[in-house]
Amino acid sequence: MNFEWSSSASTFGESGGNPALHKHRRELLEKLASNRTNPALAEMARGLLSGRTTPRQVIASGAYDELLAPHVRQFTSWYTSLSEDEKEAAAQRGQEHLDNLARRDAPRAQPARESPETRRPAARGDEEPSYDETDWTSE
């Protein structure tokens, strides 16, 4: 599947350099694509995932207006009813959510193995014997 859409093509994959956002968007589209109760929504999501269409084309075509219009109206109504402080708080919650996604999806650091040069000295009395001057060829 083609998930790498660029912003210049008005596509999905450009997430401001945020791989977690890109992954989250892809997961949402995959979930929508498997929707059996709304075939039109699934078709739109499959088109976006495959790269056959872009978000700009979805909006410009009008093919999904009936599907999208009620949700756009609901969002617009909600957003315009917010005060500036509420808008800032909503934006902050959204950013926190994106930050949590990034932390969730960040590669886990593996503990570094200690090399002899970085190994901490043993506690007094637990020191390993030095084999530096041992003659391993004699019996």
Side-chain angles (χ1 to χ4, degrees):
M1 288 186 190
N2 177 7
F3 300 121
E4 299 303 319
W5 302 336
S6 70
S7 60
S8 61
S10 301
T11 55
F12 165 74
E14 184 62 40
S15 303
N18 186 336
L21 178 57
H22 176 77
K23 180 180 178 187
H24 184 66
R25 286 179 178 170
R26 187 190 72 238
E27 289 170 352
L28 288 173
L29 282 175
E30 288 172 345
K31 185 176 181 178
L32 292 174
S34 66
N35 184 329
R36 297 189 189 277
T37 59
N38 192 331
L41 182 62
E43 174 191 352
M44 180 187 73
R46 284 191 300 272
L48 290 166
L49 284 168
S50 70
R52 288 190 317 264
T53 190
T54 66
R56 178 174 285 171
Q57 290 169 331
V58 166
I59 299 301
S61 74
Y64 299 101
D65 282 355
E66 285 184 41
L67 178 68
L68 299 174
H71 303 288
V72 171
R73 279 194 298 274
Q74 182 182 8
F75 173 80
T76 302
S77 175
W78 168 77
Y79 190 76
T80 57
S81 73
L82 298 178
S83 70
E84 289 303 313
D85 288 342
E86 291 170 322
K87 288 176 183 177
E88 283 185 35
Q92 181 63 34
R93 285 191 307 275
Q95 186 61 55
E96 288 169 2
H97 181 71
L98 294 175
D99 293 345
N100 287 336
L101 288 173
R103 278 191 293 279
R104 178 194 78 182
D105 295 336
R108 305 277 187 246
Q110 297 296 322
R113 296 184 187 251
E114 290 184 3
S115 67
E117 296 82 28
T118 61
R119 188 173 297 139
R120 292 178 302 220
R124 184 167 273 161
D126 293 340
E127 295 178 20
E128 293 182 22
S130 171
Y131 297 107
D132 292 343
E133 297 185 26
T134 303
D135 183 1
W136 296 98
T137 60
S138 66
E139 294 191 34

